[in-house]
Amino acid sequence: MKNKPDLLEHIIHGIFLILGLITVGCVLVITIYLVISGIPAIREIGLVDFSVMSSRNRVLKQVRETYGKSRAILDMTETFSSAKKLSARDVHDIIRAASMARVETVVLPQNVAYKEDLNAISEGQIVPWVWAEGELSGKTDALWLLLSGARGIISDNTALLSETAATSLVQNTLTTAPLNVGHRGTYASISGAPENTVENAIVAYENGANAVEVDIFMTKDGVIVLHHDSGTGKKMKAPDGSSSNWSIENNSYEFLSSLYYTGYYEKDENGEDVEYTGYHISTLEALLDEFKDKDLRFVIEIKSSKSEIVPALKALIDRYDVLDQCMVITFPSTGQLDDLMTYFPELAVGSLLGTSSSASDPEQALYYTLKDSQPTNAIPDLNYSGYGAGYVRAATMRGIPVMGWTINDTAKIYRALLDGLTGITTDNAHVLGALAKSITAKTPYQTVPGSSVTVDAEVVSYAREALEGEIELIVIEGEELVASADGLTLQLVEGAEGVVTYMVSYTQTLSTGESYTIYTQPQWFFVSEETLEEPEEPETSDVSYVIITGN
């Protein structure tokens, strides 16, 4: 045990953990992780449930390969230490680097802790933590980090973070919005088109899905198509009206594309209902082409056990350059998880898992799901029935994202949202679609004493529509400069100069009577008689290649 004291010297910071939903008044969990650069001493200490943090991909991969149930945390603080803001390419490469290093959690410096960027990382099912360098100077600093979208904050002053969360944020503060995953798109009765088709996915997107889950098989001639079952069953007919349970994998795409989905009707020239024959099997390529570069992610479930499907999937994703939009999920029984890790290591992967018999014991349930998913670096994507906030909390303590399927009841969708899931798979994407997802605010950079300032604020739903409702303006610091407030307008004191720091919030009430609140990060404006030069917008970094090539 001679190495133990040396290792313990590296236990240097507390971690304030955020479930994506800060519940003020609960017991705040503060945990400690080992920060090491190698693995030999782990075996001597006898650790079982642990995480290792390093900036070296090679070390993390070695730990994950040696200890399949361990977690790894990629430290990117040095890589982005001089950056002012992350670019879209940075976000993409962070997700890619995390997958290649077999980690679910990345640590970034506070200088790049902008909500829109960290939320984008979270949507890629990578958990962002932020390292708070130096002392937090006060409430504004604490609120900036708490509302950044980080799910963990490494800091010497977790007491300030805890106090600020308890006194400045309401109960059920949503800091990270989960993915709204349209299951096979959405119900055919809602979309008017068959599930697992491009036409259906378009409707799911319009209803507020920011991800669509589709099932894939490979045809006899190597085309990846969207279909849930291995055969067509009675869902499809041939042009002559005949029907059979034609095998997807044992028939050519040419044949399968000649079939049409049954059960859909249109009006003829006499106003009579006649069968519509225009819905055909969709290819994955058509889906990627439709949504490339749009704000939609693809959650692709491999149904096939064919070994050729993973290389073909990689080739298609690479050809369309949509890796940043893709995640692949599959049941362990398909045998594809190992191939995904081997041939497509940069891809985010989820392991589909059923209800655990030990779901009532969160720690025990998490142990069993990690036993199945961690060796292949797959995040748990659970049949969420029977699980709950305790399980999500146990996973969050370990820096693990959790997705859940298939949650269709409105009250259960709300509960999954409030439990802190990172992704909710549902046939009813419109339920979350109607809810508030983000809030923004802006004021002039500078104004003069005695003037009035109106905050330009907007709340946007999952369905990408502006929402009506009361937006609250909260002055954080600089109250002495404010004479009065009326809604989003502040009347400033005559002759007083300084800085006003504020944030705005919006409370979304649910049909169950529950609610959650979203906030902007702190914003500010200067009050001065002298004209101040407004700085340029923060430039995004250009250092992503360091992440990929570093070892």
Side-chain angles (χ1 to χ4, degrees):
M1 295 293 291
K2 64 180 181 179
N3 289 326
K4 186 172 181 179
D6 295 334
L7 278 174
L8 294 180
E9 288 178 5
H10 293 281
I11 301 178
I12 55 176
H13 283 77
I15 300 178
F16 184 90
L17 294 164
I18 300 173
L19 293 172
L21 190 86
I22 298 175
T23 304
V24 175
C26 72
V27 177
L28 295 168
V29 180
I30 299 173
T31 188
I32 302 293
Y33 283 86
L34 295 178
V35 183
I36 67 175
S37 59
I39 66 169
I42 295 174
R43 195 173 282 111
E44 294 184 40
I45 293 177
L47 294 174
V48 177
D49 185 1
F50 68 96
S51 295
V52 172
M53 184 166 78
S54 176
S55 61
R56 300 169 64 190
N57 293 11
R58 179 177 53 81
V59 169
L60 297 177
K61 286 182 69 174
Q62 186 179 359
V63 171
R64 293 286 288 109
E65 289 168 358
T66 306
Y67 301 94
K69 297 172 191 172
S70 67
R71 275 92 48 203
I73 302 169
L74 182 58
D75 180 4
M76 295 183 165
T77 53
E78 182 63 29
T79 300
F80 291 104
S81 61
S82 60
K84 295 181 179 179
K85 197 175 186 304
L86 298 177
S87 67
R89 173 65 184 273
D90 289 330
V91 170
H92 163 54
D93 282 350
I94 287 168
I95 296 170
R96 180 183 177 191
S99 298
M100 292 185 72
R102 300 187 184 178
V103 307
E104 292 98 355
T105 306
V106 297
V107 180
L108 298 164
Q110 67 187 52
N111 49 287
V112 295
Y114 288 84
K115 176 179 281 190
E116 63 269 26
D117 300 328
L118 298 197
N119 279 346
I121 293 170
S122 291
E123 287 182 355
Q125 300 307 305
I126 299 298
V127 174
W129 287 359
V130 171
W131 192 300
E133 280 290 343
E135 287 191 29
L136 299 179
S137 61
K139 186 162 63 173
T140 296
D141 282 355
L143 284 169
W144 179 269
L145 294 174
L146 288 168
L147 299 171
S148 67
R151 284 186 162 246
I153 302 167
I154 304 175
S155 173
D156 291 324
N157 198 350
T158 52
L160 175 61
L161 293 167
S162 176
E163 179 186 358
T164 303
T167 58
S168 299
L169 301 175
V170 301
Q171 188 171 8
N172 285 3
T173 293
L174 186 72
T175 62
T176 306
L179 272 182
N180 182 18
V181 185
H183 181 234
R184 309 178 200 168
T186 187
Y187 274 133
S189 60
I190 295 172
S191 69
E195 66 181 28
N196 272 316
T197 60
V198 173
E199 294 93 335
N200 188 300
I202 290 171
V203 176
Y205 176 78
E206 292 171 347
N207 282 350
N210 57 349
V212 290
E213 183 266 353
V214 293
D215 307 296
I216 64 169
F217 282 94
M218 179 182 282
T219 66
K220 183 178 181 180
D221 50 344
V223 178
I224 298 177
V225 296
L226 311 184
H227 206 267
H228 181 267
D229 300 324
S230 59
T232 60
K234 296 183 178 180
K235 296 179 181 178
M236 306 188 83
K237 288 182 179 179
D240 63 4
S242 62
S243 179
S244 180
N245 187 23
W246 289 293
S247 167
I248 301 296
E249 296 193 326
N250 292 327
N251 281 286
S252 69
Y253 173 67
E254 181 181 9
F255 170 75
L256 292 169
S257 64
S258 72
L259 308 178
Y260 66 89
Y261 282 96
T262 63
Y264 299 89
Y265 297 88
E266 60 181 348
K267 300 289 185 182
D268 65 11
E269 62 272 13
N270 299 317
E272 300 292 329
D273 285 337
V274 295
E275 191 166 38
Y276 176 66
T277 61
Y279 289 130
H280 302 275
I281 197 164
S282 290
T283 64
L284 179 60
E285 181 172 6
L287 184 73
L288 301 185
D289 184 62
E290 175 67 33
F291 290 104
K292 175 178 166 58
D293 296 328
K294 294 182 181 177
D295 58 334
L296 185 85
R297 291 184 179 274
F298 309 108
V299 180
I300 303 166
E301 180 180 348
I302 299 178
K303 289 287 189 179
S304 173
S305 296
K306 274 189 171 183
S307 59
E308 309 97 292
I309 198 166
V310 170
L313 176 62
K314 181 181 187 327
L316 189 58
I317 290 173
D318 287 347
R319 175 147 50 92
Y320 275 83
D321 192 23
V322 289
L323 177 63
D324 58 319
Q325 292 178 251
C326 290
M327 174 184 182
V328 171
I329 59 176
T330 190
F331 282 97
S333 58
T334 66
Q336 301 289 8
L337 287 171
D338 286 329
D339 281 353
L340 285 165
M341 186 171 63
T342 301
Y343 299 112
F344 211 170
E346 63 270 38
L347 181 69
V349 174
S351 177
L352 289 164
L353 301 169
T355 301
S356 170
S357 60
S358 58
S360 59
D361 181 342
E363 294 286 340
Q364 189 73 3
L366 183 65
Y367 171 80
Y368 283 116
T369 55
L370 294 184
K371 180 169 66 72
D372 291 331
S373 61
Q374 287 295 100
T376 53
N377 196 43
I379 72 163
D381 191 353
L382 310 167
N383 180 341
Y384 198 57
S385 174
Y387 293 91
Y391 179 93
V392 179
R393 180 181 298 276
T396 299
M397 286 179 61
R398 294 159 174 83
I400 299 168
V402 180
M403 297 179 67
W405 56 274
T406 298
I407 309 168
N408 289 331
D409 178 78
T410 296
K412 291 180 179 179
I413 292 172
Y414 293 161
R415 177 45 43 201
L417 169 72
L418 298 177
D419 283 350
L421 285 181
T422 56
I424 298 171
T425 302
T426 176
D427 292 315
N428 295 315
H430 63 281
V431 173
L432 285 180
L435 303 184
K437 181 176 183 286
S438 63
I439 183 170
T440 57
K442 189 175 182 180
T443 54
Y445 176 72
Q446 177 192 353
T447 189
V448 295
S451 65
S452 64
V453 175
T454 298
V455 177
D456 180 14
E458 183 180 46
V459 178
V460 177
S461 70
Y462 271 95
R464 306 162 187 88
E465 297 174 346
L467 296 179
E468 300 294 330
E470 183 179 353
I471 300 174
E472 183 181 1
L473 172 60
I474 304 153
V475 176
I476 303 169
E477 294 179 302
E479 298 97 328
E480 69 281 3
L481 304 178
V482 179
S484 62
D486 181 12
L488 295 177
T489 300
L490 299 177
Q491 180 62 48
L492 302 178
V493 175
E494 291 282 355
E497 297 185 335
V499 180
V500 175
T501 306
Y502 69 93
M503 60 186 181
V504 298
S505 69
Y506 177 87
T507 297
Q508 175 72 65
T509 302
L510 307 175
S511 60
T512 55
E514 298 170 290
S515 65
Y516 65 87
T517 300
I518 55 176
Y519 294 83
T520 62
Q521 287 181 279
Q523 310 291 311
W524 53 86
F525 61 86
F526 291 89
V527 183
S528 176
E529 295 285 2
E530 180 184 351
T531 301
L532 304 176
E533 183 178 352
E534 184 173 355
E536 296 180 358
E537 288 290 321
E539 293 183 2
T540 56
S541 70
D542 188 24
V543 295
S544 299
Y545 70 94
V546 176
I547 300 170
I548 301 305
T549 60
N551 63 1

